[in-house]
Amino acid sequence: MGLAQQFGHPRGLLGAVVGRGMARGNAELSRWVVQQAKDRSAGAVLRVAELGPGPGVGLQALLAQFDQAHVWGVDLSSVMLAQARKRNQAALAAGRLTLLEGDTSELGASEPADLVMANHVVYFWRDPVAELSQIRGCLRGGGLLALGYQLKHDMPAMAQKRFPPAGHQLYETVDQLTDLATTAGFSSVSHAVKGSEQAPEGRVVLAVA
Ligand SMILES: C[S@@+](CC[C@H](N)C(=O)[O-])C[C@H]1O[C@@H](n2cnc3c(N)ncnc32)[C@H](O)[C@@H]1O
């Protein structure tokens, strides 16, 4: 399995190494997306899910920022779930975190969710509108979607070159993300950029179910 596939579903020893790299390289974006979601949330946030938490840094931030919430983490990768488990042992022991192996359909466990976050996951969906519609179905009315991502031209050269041949979808404009969210039935779509427009460190699209 090539490196590009590892980002979509980390497996084995190389997957574990990729996970450790993501924990370092994506930590700041994960924390920033959680903060953006918190700033935008309306009402009590008691049920929160992260799809594709990878090594679990975003889960840590969700647990810290939404300290009254139960948090679900759903990932395809058992290797990533092992890293997320290690990173969030106290929350697991306290019964505040549930980790599930699987795809978007497992998010049903968090229904009716107040917030669903997915960072650097949108590229791996074959049918993003179907995935987003499924996520919307798990959110309560007025619940929030937070998708962290990077546009193609701001991604590392490796991803720009190797993701598309591996079947991963990269996005050229923020409007493409708006279209996906609105076609999936979300409203009040907004965007934020981390850092400057000239050198973005990442982006988030926020949308209401
Ligand atoms: C590039 S990593 C990002 C990890 C983490 N969110 C971050 O920002 O560092 C993508 C993660 O999403 C998971 N993933 C990809 N598609 C998924 C799906 N349809 N359902 C659940 N997890 C998925 C992968 O296994 C991987 O752990």
Side-chain angles (χ1 to χ4, degrees):
M1 180 195 274
L3 185 61
Q5 276 92 355
Q6 287 288 355
F7 286 89
H9 187 162
R11 291 175 166 100
L13 218 56
L14 180 56
V17 173
V18 165
R20 282 194 282 278
M22 292 194 296
R24 282 192 301 274
N26 297 338
E28 287 306 316
L29 181 71
S30 299
R31 294 186 190 115
W32 177 80
V33 172
V34 171
Q35 188 61 54
Q36 297 295 311
K38 185 165 186 185
D39 293 348
R40 179 76 191 274
S41 293
V45 176
L46 301 175
R47 301 176 69 86
V48 173
E50 182 173 7
L51 185 69
V57 176
L59 293 172
Q60 274 182 315
L62 288 169
L63 286 156
Q65 291 283 356
F66 299 101
D67 58 5
Q68 300 303 305
H70 190 94
V71 176
W72 286 261
V74 175
D75 203 292
L76 293 175
S77 163
S78 57
V79 174
M80 287 303 89
L81 288 169
Q83 293 190 5
R85 199 171 294 125
K86 223 168 159 184
R87 193 160 265 116
N88 292 285
Q89 268 170 357
L92 282 164
R96 285 195 60 212
L97 175 64
T98 304
L99 293 175
L100 298 169
E101 187 172 341
D103 62 12
T104 312
S105 54
E106 296 295 331
L107 280 183
S110 68
E111 197 177 332
D114 301 299
L115 165 66
V116 174
M117 178 173 90
N119 296 330
H120 291 307
V121 176
V122 64
Y123 331 116
F124 309 113
W125 289 333
R126 289 284 147 94
D127 185 346
V129 169
E131 301 285 350
L132 288 170
S133 300
Q134 207 170 350
I135 291 174
R136 189 172 59 81
C138 295
L139 283 161
R140 65 163 164 84
L144 190 68
L145 165 75
L147 284 186
Y149 69 101
Q150 186 62 292
L151 287 177
K152 180 178 179 183
H153 52 265
D154 298 317
M155 284 184 144
M158 185 287 291
Q160 290 194 42
K161 186 166 163 232
R162 296 211 206 170
F163 274 27
H168 305 334
Q169 172 72 47
L170 302 184
Y171 294 89
E172 307 272 356
T173 68
V174 298
D175 290 345
Q176 289 179 290
L177 279 297
T178 300
D179 288 347
L180 293 181
T182 51
T183 307
F186 285 94
S187 58
S188 306
V189 180
S190 66
H191 295 271
V193 57
K194 182 175 187 312
S196 71
E197 269 296 346
Q198 291 69 39
E201 295 156 40
R203 295 173 186 271
V204 67
V205 53
L206 299 164
V208 175

